Amino acid sequence: MGMVCFCTIGMIRAISGMGGGGQVDPTAANNANTALYATFSVAGVLSGGLYNVLGPRVMLPAACSSCLLFTASFLYYNHFQSQVFLVVAGVVGGVGAGMLWAVQGAVMTSYPPPHRKGMYISLFWVIFSSGGVVGGLIPFFLNFHRQVDSVNDGTYIGFMGFMAAGTLLSFAILPPSKVIRDDGSQCTLTNHSKPSTEAIEILKLFKNWKMLLLAPAAWASNFFYAYEFNNVNAAQFNLRTRGLNNVSYWAAQMLGSIAIGYVFDLRSLTRKRRGFLGIGTVSLIGTAIWSAGLVNQLDYSFQDMPDPRLDFMKSGFRFAGPYVLFFSYGLFDAVFQSMIYWVIGALADDSETLSRYVGFYKGVQSAGAAVAWQLDTRKVPMLTQLIVNWALTTVSYPLLTILVALAVKDEPAVEGDELKRYKGSDLSDTGFGDDDVISKETN
């Protein structure tokens, strides 16, 4: 799943990370992203249930193909400067993104054993973020000596090559009914659900108190992209430096995901305490980074843009501070989203429930992103955008803490690399022989 997202969403994120989708004027990309995320907000919620009906084998190839179309629309825009194709491709891409992230979320949260979810989330995020690193290198090298601010055709064609490979890889994902965990348990006992059942269960999510506590964090988790990519990376740096920053942003995500995954899987703590420690760690990191962002943002605005823009080879010491800040934004993105995925994964273990939870999360997340891209299009002051992002993420921490306290059940203390194992139990009803050893988990 990490490799599929490496080749598809990883490349899409690299395009977004350049600011303005690699174009001089970010308006077209903002409108395309608004269409994508507005559609995604609906498709994300519905795709959680659709996953239980169709499974990953049908949804993933279709979703990956939509990434190809979205990237092709930027290639078209390079020549014809028409936003119609961009917006239409954004709508189709939003549907595809909803399906892809529903599959990804279900796989990442329901396939791992309960005591290894932090590690599995980190593993996925490292592979996925390395797609952004490779994707960032494409525009960096292909546009290194160009003096214009829009990327060339070869950049988009290179992205599309990776996306085609990801579409082929998507056929390798096993459905949950065929996945057996290390402890002998299955991700699901059913092959397919009924559309009517899923429709009812999806509607119930909107009055589910767990999802309501999760909603502010979900809204915030992609809201900051418009600000970071357009008003930090694109506003302060020239084209080739934006490519370098893009690489660094996703590399920072790899480091952040590894670090926070370790915190959430600490063997010496119960599940609840790991949750509290992880949320507290993320809150400290977020507060420090947004504080630094405030200091940086006070130096420029839409009315007083940096001129000339920073270049990593020519700007000297002036380049260091904004570069480290953008790197830190990438690290925060990884720890913040990994935190949310861990909390979702701790609420249940079965694929059906978690796919709906993840679908709700991605739907609310995308609605927030759609609003954020339009706020930037309408030139809402950069300082205002930063403060809103900071406030949204800060409000999320106490609400997630309450959610962990009330909804997450502790598991037995874990020592070493595995759960305590027991022999001599009556295993006749489990399908295991008397000599087999299985893990036991209590509620």
Side-chain angles (χ1 to χ4, degrees):
M1 194 67 230
M3 287 303 300
V4 170
C5 290
F6 170 102
C7 292
T8 53
I9 301 297
M11 299 299 143
I12 293 289
R13 297 180 93 183
I15 294 174
S16 297
M18 291 184 293
Q23 300 296 317
V24 178
D25 183 357
T27 302
N30 283 352
N31 289 333
N33 281 317
T34 299
L36 187 151
Y37 283 108
T39 310
F40 189 179
S41 66
V42 178
V45 175
L46 298 178
S47 292
L50 191 64
Y51 170 85
N52 293 332
V53 176
L54 299 179
R57 286 280 176 84
V58 175
M59 293 177 67
L60 262 187
C64 294
S65 299
S66 71
C67 294
L68 267 168
L69 179 68
F70 186 66
T71 307
S73 69
F74 280 96
L75 179 62
Y76 178 88
Y77 186 81
N78 251 7
H79 293 273
F80 299 102
Q81 303 295 303
S82 171
Q83 293 191 32
V84 175
F85 187 16
L86 270 174
V87 173
V88 171
V91 172
V92 176
V95 175
M99 294 192 295
L100 194 152
W101 282 109
V103 176
Q104 175 271 340
V107 169
M108 194 167 67
T109 58
S110 69
Y111 282 27
H115 62 293
R116 302 297 296 277
K117 290 190 178 185
M119 186 272 286
Y120 274 64
I121 291 171
S122 295
L123 178 62
F124 166 82
W125 215 265
V126 167
I127 299 172
F128 166 49
S129 296
S130 64
V133 172
V134 174
L137 289 172
I138 294 174
F140 177 66
F141 286 118
L142 291 180
N143 300 279
F144 189 86
H145 295 294
R146 299 177 78 230
Q147 299 301 313
V148 297
D149 281 333
S150 61
V151 301
N152 59 14
D153 290 354
T155 302
Y156 295 122
I157 293 171
F159 286 136
M160 292 169 67
F162 276 99
M163 292 171 186
T167 303
L168 295 176
L169 282 173
S170 66
F171 290 100
I173 302 295
L174 282 176
S177 60
K178 294 185 178 180
V179 175
I180 309 297
R181 301 190 187 100
D182 292 342
D183 60 4
S185 62
Q186 289 182 267
C187 292
T188 180
L189 298 176
T190 59
N191 286 322
H192 296 285
S193 179
K194 296 179 180 179
S196 57
T197 300
E198 293 305 317
I200 294 171
E201 293 301 322
I202 289 171
L203 289 174
K204 288 180 180 178
L205 293 175
F206 291 92
K207 61 179 182 179
N208 184 322
W209 64 271
K210 299 175 186 177
M211 295 298 98
L212 295 179
L213 286 173
L214 184 74
W219 183 276
S221 59
N222 269 11
F223 200 87
F224 44 68
Y225 280 166
Y227 170 76
E228 292 173 358
F229 296 156
N230 286 352
N231 299 327
V232 179
N233 198 21
Q236 289 189 277
F237 304 94
N238 64 13
L239 181 62
R240 67 178 180 182
T241 307
R242 283 152 56 187
L244 174 65
N245 292 349
N246 213 356
V247 173
S248 301
Y249 187 94
W250 306 119
Q253 294 222 358
M254 298 167 69
L255 297 175
S257 62
I258 292 172
I260 202 64
Y262 173 80
V263 172
F264 278 120
D265 272 352
L266 280 175
R267 296 288 189 266
S268 58
L269 299 178
T270 62
R271 183 185 284 186
K272 275 190 178 181
R273 290 182 177 179
R274 296 200 305 269
F276 296 148
L277 178 62
I279 295 169
T281 301
V282 174
S283 68
L284 292 176
I285 294 172
T287 301
I289 292 173
W290 286 118
S291 298
L294 176 61
V295 174
N296 178 72
Q297 187 57 70
L298 293 175
D299 287 339
Y300 66 97
S301 65
F302 282 122
Q303 291 74 35
D304 184 24
M305 294 291 281
D307 187 27
R309 293 179 181 177
L310 297 172
D311 182 274
F312 74 98
M313 294 184 67
K314 298 178 181 179
S315 298
F317 184 74
R318 291 191 306 117
F319 166 75
Y323 170 78
V324 172
L325 174 63
F326 193 69
F327 178 92
S328 301
Y329 280 142
L331 186 145
F332 175 70
D333 181 22
V335 298
F336 191 80
Q337 295 208 54
S338 295
M339 169 187 69
I340 298 173
Y341 273 115
W342 184 90
V343 171
I344 293 173
L347 298 177
D349 287 321
D350 63 286
S351 175
E352 290 87 357
T353 301
L354 288 173
S355 66
R356 299 179 194 121
Y357 286 176
V358 171
F360 179 88
Y361 162 55
K362 299 305 293 187
V364 175
Q365 178 191 68
S366 302
V371 172
W373 289 109
Q374 272 307 293
L375 290 177
D376 188 61
T377 298
R378 298 176 186 278
K379 302 300 181 184
V380 171
M382 296 179 181
L383 183 59
T384 301
Q385 292 188 45
L386 181 144
I387 293 172
V388 170
N389 279 301
W390 191 353
L392 285 172
T393 53
T394 302
V395 167
S396 304
Y397 307 132
L399 297 180
L400 290 178
T401 301
I402 294 171
L403 179 57
V404 170
L406 298 180
V408 174
K409 295 181 175 64
D410 278 331
E411 59 193 8
V414 180
E415 298 177 356
D417 292 329
E418 299 178 338
L419 285 173
K420 294 179 180 178
R421 296 177 180 271
Y422 301 84
K423 289 185 178 182
S425 300
D426 182 7
L427 306 177
S428 59
D429 292 332
T430 67
F432 288 85
D434 290 337
D435 293 331
D436 290 308
V437 181
I438 64 171
S439 300
K440 287 189 176 182
E441 180 184 8
T442 69
N443 289 329

